[in-house]
Amino acid sequence: MTMLALNACSTKSEDDGVNNFRIKRGTNVSHWLSQSEERGEARLKHIQEDDFARLDSLGFDFVRLPIDEVQFWDENGNKIPEAWELMHNALNWAEKHHLRTIVDLHIIRSHYFNAVNEGDKEANTLFTSEKAQQDLINMWYQLSDDLKGYSVDSVAYEFMNEPVADDHEQWNQLIAKVHKALREREPNRTLVIGSNRWQGHETMKYLKVPEGDKNIILSFHYYNPMILTHYGAWWAPIGKYTGKVNYPGILVSKEDYEAAPDSIKKELEPYLTQVWDINTIREQFKDAIDAAKKYNLQLFCGEWGVYEPVDRELAYKWTKDMLTVFDEFNIAWTTWCYDADFGFWDQKKHDFKDKPLVDLLMESKGLENK
């Protein structure tokens, strides 16, 4: 594997310890090295250099690259070489095409963000097991050993995705532990750290990160209102609703509520009275914005998007409001996602499946970072 020399703005990093990992707008290259059963030739062909060239040409300046433990280590903790090679391919292609990368450890064997929803508490032992926590640190030791040659201006680490701890302090304590371990090895690498409970905006006020470390980016995820963004999503309870959705305004009319099956009426109740519009988004972002101000750190929305079956006009209205608020508060973002069921690119047809969405994304403020 050939590692490209990544030296952009290294002088600044060496002078004051603050690197130049600056980001604005990107997308998740998901369902490839994470949440995918593809292996071998199918996985190799799924994402290629032309995907990164395309993202660069469209105007994106970075990508978030989710990776899963099961793809990178077997059950005995041994590295699975093929996945590591593909990750290096991605990082090198990204650098070649002027894209920065956040390597995101998305799912690990001791923690899966959906296990709580599915009632499987045994799948989430991370916050109650010292061994599981040390295993997480050991994974990052190996990732750091493998990736430390990449410039701190080009590659960042998100050491866990969507933590779901019963208590916010459990997550804060783990942040401190992993941060200390990584800083002993890589003092200036950017670390992306999100809030507890699926990186929700409402838990950002409980987030504690080490003070004085300027190479941290704070992250939250946002899919509200779920009845709009996850309309028809088979895995979400609200996805069972088949009536009309409005946006902006009151999302579900009383008539549509009455016509809905009794089994989902409880899910619909919040949408009968609350007005959803750009002001709602602003208000819900407030805790995240305040946290970034408190620590004087950049804020990043690592996941947001609309499921493919959602009415496109509604999707575009919501997307435009999201982009407006991102721009107002200088919030970086990566859409969920590039080519899966929330995405805009069709790998099989090798064509856009939603070009108007891309055009809308590119209308947001110009890149200061490229």
Side-chain angles (χ1 to χ4, degrees), residues 120-338:
D120 184 6
K121 291 217 167 189
E122 292 302 310
N124 279 351
T125 59
L126 179 66
F127 296 105
T128 56
S129 165
E130 287 289 330
K131 180 186 180 301
Q133 293 184 12
Q134 189 58 49
D135 286 345
L136 173 63
I137 290 170
N138 290 341
M139 279 187 271
W140 275 107
Y141 280 159
Q142 291 182 59
L143 283 162
S144 173
D145 287 344
D146 200 70
L147 301 177
K148 63 186 177 186
Y150 289 95
S151 168
V152 295
D153 298 334
S154 295
V155 175
Y157 304 159
E158 184 169 358
F159 56 78
M160 207 176 85
N161 170 70
E162 293 197 355
V164 189
D166 289 338
D167 186 274
H168 301 309
E169 278 306 302
Q170 290 177 305
W171 173 230
N172 289 333
Q173 289 166 16
L174 184 56
I175 289 171
K177 192 180 292 189
V178 180
H179 175 270
K180 182 175 184 291
L182 279 172
R183 280 294 175 249
E184 288 172 354
R185 297 194 170 210
E186 298 197 52
N188 297 330
R189 179 75 60 185
T190 290
L191 303 180
V192 177
I193 300 175
S195 52
N196 188 33
R197 309 294 290 180
W198 303 282
Q199 282 170 249
H201 64 90
E202 69 278 9
T203 58
M204 288 290 284
K205 58 180 171 285
Y206 304 113
L207 179 65
K208 295 177 184 175
V209 299
E211 298 198 33
D213 186 342
K214 296 307 177 188
N215 293 320
I216 290 176
I217 293 175
L218 299 186
S219 170
F220 71 107
H221 295 173
Y222 192 85
Y223 290 102
N224 290 344
M226 288 282 286
I227 195 171
L228 189 159
T229 65
H230 283 63
Y231 187 89
W234 56 268
W235 65 92
I238 200 67
K240 296 182 176 66
Y241 176 65
T242 59
K244 185 180 179 183
V245 176
N246 307 295
Y247 183 89
I250 300 291
L251 301 185
V252 177
S253 71
K254 191 161 178 46
E255 292 75 20
D256 286 317
Y257 171 79
E258 295 296 344
D262 290 341
S263 59
I264 62 169
K265 281 185 175 174
K266 188 175 181 181
E267 297 284 340
L268 296 177
E269 285 173 3
Y271 303 111
L272 280 169
T273 54
Q274 182 175 355
V275 172
W276 281 90
D277 58 18
I278 191 170
N279 291 318
T280 316
I281 295 170
R282 282 195 191 98
E283 181 60 30
Q284 293 203 342
F285 279 17
K286 186 176 184 302
D287 285 345
I289 293 164
D290 288 348
K293 286 180 180 175
K294 172 185 174 182
Y295 290 103
N296 192 25
L297 297 171
Q298 180 168 17
L299 185 59
F300 164 53
C301 185
E303 291 184 21
W304 65 289
V306 180
Y307 190 43
E308 194 175 341
V310 174
D311 177 87
R312 289 295 90 186
E313 288 309 309
L314 288 181
Y316 301 151
K317 287 178 183 178
W318 179 81
T319 298
K320 189 170 184 178
D321 285 349
M322 288 286 288
L323 291 169
T324 298
V325 181
F326 288 148
D327 285 343
E328 285 176 3
F329 295 98
N330 193 30
I331 301 171
W333 49 263
T334 42
T335 64
W336 190 269
C337 49
Y338 172 55

